[in-house]
Amino acid sequence: MTEDLSKPTIIMGVTGGIAAAKSTLLASRLNKAGFDVRVIMTPNATKFVSELTFRSLTGNKVVTDMFEEPEEWDIRHVSLAKKARLAVICPATANFIGKAANGIADDMLTTTIMALGCPVVVAPAMNDAMWANDAVQANVLKLKGLGYVFAGPVTGRLACGTEGLGRMAEPDAIFDVVMHSYLAIGRSSLKGVKLLVSAGPTVEPIDPVRYIANRSSGKMGYALASAAAARGAEVTLVSGPTALSDPLNVEVKRVDTAEQMLKALEDGFEGCDAFVATAAVADYRAKEYSDRKIKKEKAGMKELELVENPDILAKLSSMKGGRLMVGFAAETEDAIESALGKYSKKGLDMIVVNEVNERNQPFGAEDNIVSIITGKGEVESLPRMSKSELSHMILDRISELMA
Ligand code: C5P
């Protein structure tokens, strides 16, 4: 098989659990995202999913048996480990976690892991009682101390039929942790930084059926929260209603209205070092909420009275102290000029300006074109990039400003 040197190599370890079936989705997403995915399965994992499945999804031979090619194995586990930019173990059993935490290398996967010099993401999957076991928790703590990144587990239905904490996180959520851990390589750490992020739209009810809202999908804010968590920050995300799942390793508070968002952000503001306001807060809400659906024929709908919502960012900025304040702006015209106005009026350290025009439709999209304003109004215009990459660029600027 010819090697594609342009593709970063990711080692994907698959250990023996029913969640191995779901890990095929992760292999597929990593492959589609442009990684050279090298799957190593433990012999137990092959009882749940065949090697052929991973081979078909990744286009690479799957390694299972350390002694398959005796003359090569000792070279192969080291050469693969050397080439890898990142490793992800999905699912990770209690057995794997125990071995990795204690330096045991008795199969192809643990032998390779022991030779790695790159970040390792671990996605555990096990019964809730096993996860809660003191020995397992001590091993998890040890691995975290050694820099291993955990993606889950989450609470949900377990293979044994009960509900509990031990279920493997969804493959898409694990993918986000892997992607952001990969993008974080070589960039500044945000360890010890407490970051507060607002995201999504706010939804202002008019009556039990109707509401005022906007097109924000929340993707930019969620990407920023995940990116910061991957760089070691303690992140609280206050989100309006979105279709997105909670990112892993982030504390998420869900709200509906601007007033609820303000309250949740005020609660988190005291303890934060930086606040990034990506939320598209509805500017107005209905003056009176009608607890009955307003009839179309009645004047109430045509003459709906609106009142202005609080400007959350401006309000929190007035209590700024030593915190770093970052705003976002989305405008269809005179974007930079109007963002410069907001930048000084709201007392910000940085504002990220989304272009909204024929060239760029950021709402709900995976990528974006922005300019970043900092300092005395210096404007840095960035090329189109994914919201994940953009998050790390923004965090680079944030960490420079915090230094
Ligand atoms: O004034 P404008 O809405 O364009 O400002 C955008 C910035 O202000 C964003 O960072 C947004 O999160 C924040 N904002 C806010 N509360 C509002 C309106 C906007 O926090 N009511």
Side-chain angles (χ1 to χ4, degrees), residues 378-391:
E378 283 96 46
V379 182
E380 180 190 9
S381 293
L382 299 177
R384 180 185 294 281
M385 63 183 82
S386 73
K387 287 180 179 172
S388 300
E389 283 174 81
L390 179 57
S391 299

Side-chain angles (χ1 to χ4, degrees), residues 53-124:
T53 307
F54 285 106
R55 184 181 182 140
S56 311
L57 291 170
T58 64
N60 285 324
K61 181 169 167 25
V62 172
V63 185
T64 311
D65 182 0
M66 196 154 75
F67 300 105
E68 187 181 87
E69 295 162 78
E71 72 283 3
E72 253 187 57
W73 76 265
D74 58 335
I75 305 157
R76 185 180 312 158
H77 81 95
V78 175
S79 64
L80 204 53
K82 260 195 196 150
K83 231 169 58 155
R85 302 293 309 278
L86 195 132
V88 53
I89 316 303
C90 173
T93 53
N95 184 46
F96 170 82
I97 290 170
K99 285 198 224 170
N102 292 285
I104 296 169
D106 65 349
D107 58 17
M108 190 62 187
L109 178 59
T110 44
T111 314
T112 308
I113 294 295
M114 231 43 74
L116 284 177
C118 65
V120 184
V121 175
V122 181

Side-chain angles (χ1 to χ4, degrees), residues 198 277-283 309-313 326-329 331 342 346:
S198 74
T278 71
V281 183
D283 294 316
N309 266 330
D311 189 318
I312 301 173
L313 185 54
V326 181
F328 270 66
E331 297 292 342
K342 282 172 206 172
K346 300 194 190 197

